[in-house]
Amino acid sequence: MILEIRDENGNLQTTTRGILNTFVGHMKRKYGPTQVDDECVEQMVNAGHIRVAEAWGDIIDMPIMAEELQTVVHRGTGNKAPGHDGIGMEFFKKNWSIIKDNMQIMFNQMYNTGNIGEQQKHGIVVCIPKTTAPKTPADYRPITLLNTDYNILGCIVANHLRPILAELLHPSQHGGVQGGGIFDAVAMVWDAIAYAEKTQTPLCVLSLDFMEAFDRISHIYLLKLLAVYGFSTKLIALIKNMYDQAYSSIHINGHTTCPLPIQCGV
């Protein structure tokens, strides 16, 4: 239970309506459209990116196979909270032998046409405290519960893209790359420090942390960058449709707000 919260003006809200309104205002500001400079976007997307080979493009656009769909459905542990439709992954797992053929047809239709309903893109946000004594909405971590079918589609898109990321991204990029991880980045920093100490080479280590980086990514920039990399119009249209008209409702103290548009972030 959230018993009290301070709004953006520092006023203490203790009523259910006041608490809900405070979180709604915070989320609207957080997930409103990210303002971008068109000239800067053009400079970034034209900065000499490697393009996807045609062979990879054909592989990415291939229909969803029964085996890969089954792998996505059955991976991971169960007992996870469902999204707005109330259908969890356990339903898919336990009834897979009955629904698998229809599911393959449905997901291929979504993948090939990008036809995704608004209800499928409707998430439920629950707020988890970051500290032992949270005072403002910023002290809570919003966790969005997405519908299982939307999650499955997202996993399939990611699986199709993952094998080629190592070819497109700079070698210094470790996170999100198959076979890479944060510990590789840490090891690289330690190696650089050790080398500098051994060779008496001047070294400056600069650590930058972009606050809420994934939450503030511009969809305009993201889609333009995908086009520059040479991904197919089919894939770009699918990703665009996954984000267009996406909404989330905030669930606090047993109450759920009206849907709020999610206009930035990944």
Side-chain angles (χ1 to χ4, degrees):
M1 290 285 291
I2 299 177
L3 301 179
E4 61 182 32
I5 200 75
R6 291 199 178 275
D7 61 23
E8 62 175 325
N9 298 316
N11 299 318
L12 188 66
Q13 302 292 336
T14 57
T15 66
T16 298
R17 183 177 295 276
I19 293 171
L20 287 173
N21 287 340
T22 299
F23 274 92
V24 167
H26 175 74
M27 293 300 176
K28 281 184 176 180
R29 293 187 294 273
K30 183 181 179 73
Y31 294 112
T34 299
Q35 301 300 319
V36 295
D37 184 287
D38 292 337
E39 184 177 346
C40 291
V41 170
E42 289 301 321
Q43 290 177 356
M44 288 294 294
V45 299
N46 294 315
H49 300 286
I50 300 173
R51 290 182 64 84
V52 177
E54 289 187 13
W56 277 117
D58 294 338
I59 293 173
I60 292 171
D61 288 341
M62 285 179 59
I64 300 168
M65 307 303 291
E67 295 77 10
E68 67 172 314
L69 184 56
Q70 179 171 321
T71 299
V72 171
V73 169
H74 287 86
R75 74 173 190 171
T77 58
N79 300 322
K80 291 188 176 182
H84 181 256
D85 61 8
I87 302 175
M89 189 66 83
E90 287 301 302
F91 170 83
F92 288 85
K93 290 181 178 180
K94 292 184 177 180
N95 296 284
W96 190 244
S97 61
I98 302 172
I99 66 175
K100 61 181 180 180
D101 292 335
N102 289 331
M103 290 298 100
Q104 185 180 3
I105 294 172
M106 182 189 79
F107 279 105
N108 267 309
Q109 184 178 30
M110 293 165 63
Y111 192 77
N112 291 325
T113 66
N115 187 12
I116 306 168
E118 289 189 14
Q119 288 299 317
Q120 291 174 290
K121 297 182 281 189
H122 185 181
I124 299 294
V125 176
V126 294
C127 298
I128 309 299
K130 299 178 183 177
T131 67
T132 55
K135 294 181 172 56
T136 69
D139 295 326
Y140 288 83
R141 179 174 289 105
I143 305 295
T144 304
L145 306 178
L146 298 170
N147 289 339
T148 303
D149 54 358
Y150 186 89
N151 271 330
I152 292 173
L153 181 62
C155 287
I156 290 171
V157 173
N159 288 342
H160 282 205
L161 292 174
R162 190 169 290 115
I164 67 171
L165 292 183
E167 295 185 16
L168 299 179
L169 301 179
H170 192 275
S172 63
Q173 172 69 39
H174 298 288
V177 179
Q178 196 167 18
I182 186 64
F183 293 110
D184 294 321
V186 174
M188 182 177 66
V189 173
W190 278 111
D191 288 343
I193 294 173
Y195 175 82
E197 291 178 344
K198 183 177 181 179
T199 60
Q200 297 298 302
T201 302
L203 176 68
C204 174
V205 178
L206 177 64
S207 177
L208 298 177
D209 183 15
F210 293 93
M211 184 176 66
E212 300 178 343
F214 291 104
D215 290 336
R216 299 305 303 161
I217 291 178
S218 163
H219 292 167
I220 295 173
Y221 173 69
L222 173 64
L223 296 172
K224 283 190 175 183
L225 195 60
L226 289 172
V228 168
Y229 273 121
F231 289 105
S232 68
T233 55
K234 169 186 166 182
L235 178 68
I236 295 173
L238 170 62
I239 294 175
K240 182 177 186 296
N241 287 339
M242 291 183 74
Y243 287 125
D244 279 354
Q245 303 298 316
Y247 293 86
S248 285
S249 299
I250 308 169
H251 186 79
I252 294 176
N253 297 348
H255 298 272
T256 303
T257 68
C258 293
L260 309 173
I262 306 299
Q263 298 172 298
C264 66
V266 294

